[in-house]
Amino acid sequence: MADGLTGDGALLALSPHLDDAVLSVGAALAAVAATGRPVVVCTVFAGEPVPPLSEPAARFHRDCGLGADAVAVRQREDLAAVAALGATPLHLPFLDALYRRHGDGWLCTWLGAHFDPGLPAEPELTAEITAEIAGLLRSLRPAAVWTCAAIGGHVDHRLTLATAAAACAAEGFRLARWEDLPYAIGRSAESGQGRLLTGPISAAHRERKLAAIGEYRSQLGMLFPAGGPAWRSAFAGHAAARLETHGAEELVWSAEPPACAHASGSGLSPSR
Ligand code: ZN
């Protein structure tokens, strides 16, 4: 299980979207919550857009079977999923890339544009999110902060990682990064990410994760179009594969490179 958690502070998981933390590290979060430590799952891009929407956003809603109240539905799914882990949800008001404007138009002009590494920078948004996360760190004073490693390259995942890193640096907290799922399913793990903080997971916590994922009904059909039990076997298969190669079913890396692991001691306690 996640090592190095000291003191009685919360584990703060900074999730880009309303599903990422649960999909990626739901079992680890459930295991930490089961020890009695508060676990806060804070979703950065959980804001509700004001119509009209772009064509890619409307298409995404159709693909998910969602209507005009798409984000409200997804927020409710997240409340149920995070509660199923024994954690506390928190939703920040920033808009998903699909809903964001850029200049006179949209940031994403085609479905899939959010993976384009050439999207324009958003310095004002970056500063706003960094300030929001910094404020959260000051008020919550968590024992550990986790976010995504931005594997897959989604612009919102890259922004979450960048702003979390900037806020943690400014406020004196270490930041650990998780392997983004389902993006990493079927791929070998990225090397050189740092020291692993996670280990084997109990069957009970594995089941809690799967129960929590099941709450994201609008997303499962889009992420796993084959339907039925496909998503369950995909996550279980990935966990088994990582357990075999890494000794951990969900990968969370400390900020330090592997060579520093023994010198740094606890990777999950605040650095001040
Ligand atoms: Zn995401």
Side-chain angles (χ1 to χ4, degrees), residues 178-272:
W178 66 65
E179 180 182 57
D180 305 64
L181 301 184
Y183 298 108
I185 290 178
R187 299 193 202 176
S188 49
E190 296 200 358
S191 59
Q193 292 275 4
R195 184 171 62 96
L196 262 188
L197 300 178
T198 39
I201 296 287
S202 75
H205 298 138
R206 202 178 300 133
E207 274 308 309
R208 273 198 165 213
K209 172 180 182 170
L210 294 175
I213 292 175
E215 299 289 349
Y216 294 114
R217 290 178 185 85
S218 71
Q219 301 306 294
L220 287 172
M222 182 268 302
L223 291 169
F224 297 93
W231 63 268
R232 283 184 160 267
S233 49
F235 281 94
H238 181 81
R242 289 293 188 261
L243 184 63
E244 195 171 313
T245 56
H246 289 73
E249 296 172 46
E250 296 170 334
L251 306 188
V252 179
W253 296 282
S254 72
E256 310 90 42
C260 301
H262 298 296
S264 63
S266 160
L268 289 182
S269 51
S271 58
R272 66 177 184 186

Side-chain angles (χ1 to χ4, degrees), residues 16-17 19-20 154 156-157 183:
H17 300 118
D19 61 6
D20 289 304
H154 190 302
D156 290 344
H157 290 225
Y183 298 108

Side-chain angles (χ1 to χ4, degrees), residues 78-169:
D78 188 64
L79 298 183
V82 172
L85 300 181
T88 303
L90 184 62
H91 296 158
L92 299 186
F94 301 102
L95 295 179
D96 188 298
L98 274 176
Y99 308 132
R100 294 205 291 276
R101 292 186 168 275
H102 185 76
D104 294 333
W106 299 102
L107 177 70
C108 297
T109 54
W110 48 281
L111 197 61
H114 44 279
F115 293 109
D116 181 354
L119 283 178
E122 300 171 278
E124 284 180 24
L125 177 65
T126 302
E128 284 174 26
I129 300 171
T130 303
E132 186 80 22
I133 295 174
L136 182 60
L137 293 174
R138 287 195 295 273
S139 61
L140 190 64
R141 299 199 60 76
V145 188
W146 294 2
T147 194
C148 67
I151 291 162
H154 190 302
V155 64
D156 290 344
H157 290 225
R158 289 187 274 123
L159 262 176
T160 301
L161 175 59
T163 54
C168 282

